[in-house]
Amino acid sequence: MQIDINSLPNDIQYKLISSTIVPRPIALITTYNDDTGDNAAPFSFFNAMGENPPVLVVGLETRRHSRTLKDTTHNVMHNGQFVVHLVDEGLGEAMNVCAIDFPSDVSETAMAGLNLVPSTVVKPKRITEAPVAFECEKINFVQISPDRHILIGKVVMMHVREGLFDPDTYYIDPEKYHPIGRMFGQLYTRTRDHFKMTVPAYEDWQKTHPK
Ligand SMILES: Cc1cc2nc3c(=O)[nH]c(=O)nc-3n(C[C@H](O)[C@H](O)[C@H](O)COP(=O)(O)O)c2cc1C
């Protein structure tokens, strides 16, 4: 079946995109506001876009009913700084609490029982319970519709939980790192089921696939 996705209403487009491009990693993002203090919220329209410099992107929509900017968007627009935390199995429930639409002056991390410590480079604080955290500075915001901004950020400092990686090889141990992924709506997935595939050299491919 072919779907002319642009002809469909927003909520159906959202449903089709967010239920097929899965699983998505979850960025639990902390930001800071001079008037309202610390803020945290999860975003699964999120991914890495490359290194040198290390770049992350986040898709930020407006609030569904009021169509106003979310606190995260507002804060990064004003001071250009944020911290992205990857969400593992242990952080899942607290991440969910941070998604509640609390008033702007309520700290989601306090409500979720998470601990904040000062970051090294940026002003927004870092969540100590997160397995991985990236302190980031805004490169740009791309507005793609009245209700959608794409935030492009540069990583200026990285933090990894002790014991998760080998400091000699810089390899993260997949047996110890258990990020969760967002499927659609309330559905999430674990990432414990690994398998290996090696891309063969062209010469080896030719040997096994003669003309
Ligand atoms: C797992 C998960 C993923 C989410 N992903 C996004 C997203 O990619 N973009 C977005 O705008 N909102 C997303 N949300 C909703 C925001 O987290 C929610 O609107 C939050 O209250 C915004 O908080 P803020 O106003 O403090 O920034 C997601 C919620 C959950 C639970």
Side-chain angles (χ1 to χ4, degrees), residues 49-105:
M49 284 295 127
E51 78 294 333
N52 193 25
V55 169
L56 309 180
V57 289
V58 187
L60 303 158
E61 61 177 332
T62 55
R63 293 194 179 92
R64 288 278 160 96
H65 299 296
S66 61
R67 297 185 70 183
T68 53
L69 294 181
K70 293 186 180 180
D71 293 333
T72 303
T73 318
H74 176 271
N75 295 347
V76 180
M77 274 182 179
H78 279 77
N79 56 40
Q81 296 190 326
F82 59 107
V83 183
V84 166
H85 307 81
L86 273 296
V87 176
D88 65 3
E89 292 171 17
L91 198 53
E93 284 190 23
M95 173 281 293
N96 205 34
V97 173
C98 292
I100 296 172
D101 195 13
F102 291 113
S104 300
D105 58 352

Side-chain angles (χ1 to χ4, degrees), residues 24-32 38-47 56-60 72 76 81-100 102 107-116 119 122 124-136 151 159 161 177 179-182 188:
R24 292 185 303 282
I26 302 166
L28 179 55
I29 300 185
T30 49
T31 53
Y32 181 77
D38 299 308
N39 190 82
F43 297 89
S44 69
F45 282 165
F46 155 68
N47 223 306
L56 309 180
V57 289
V58 187
L60 303 158
T72 303
V76 180
Q81 296 190 326
F82 59 107
V83 183
V84 166
H85 307 81
L86 273 296
V87 176
D88 65 3
E89 292 171 17
L91 198 53
E93 284 190 23
M95 173 281 293
N96 205 34
V97 173
C98 292
I100 296 172
F102 291 113
S107 166
E108 291 85 357
T109 45
M111 295 294 113
L114 294 171
N115 292 294
L116 292 173
S119 292
V122 301
K125 293 184 185 128
R126 178 169 70 83
I127 297 169
T128 56
E129 287 83 357
V132 177
F134 295 106
E135 297 183 31
C136 296
L151 165 62
H159 305 263
R161 184 189 292 150
Y177 182 46
I180 56 170
R182 185 161 199 205
Y188 295 85

Side-chain angles (χ1 to χ4, degrees), residues 155-174:
V155 177
V156 293
M157 189 59 68
M158 178 177 180
H159 305 263
V160 183
R161 184 189 292 150
E162 282 306 317
L164 267 196
F165 91 124
D166 179 339
D168 295 325
T169 61
Y170 291 98
Y171 276 121
I172 299 283
D173 184 343

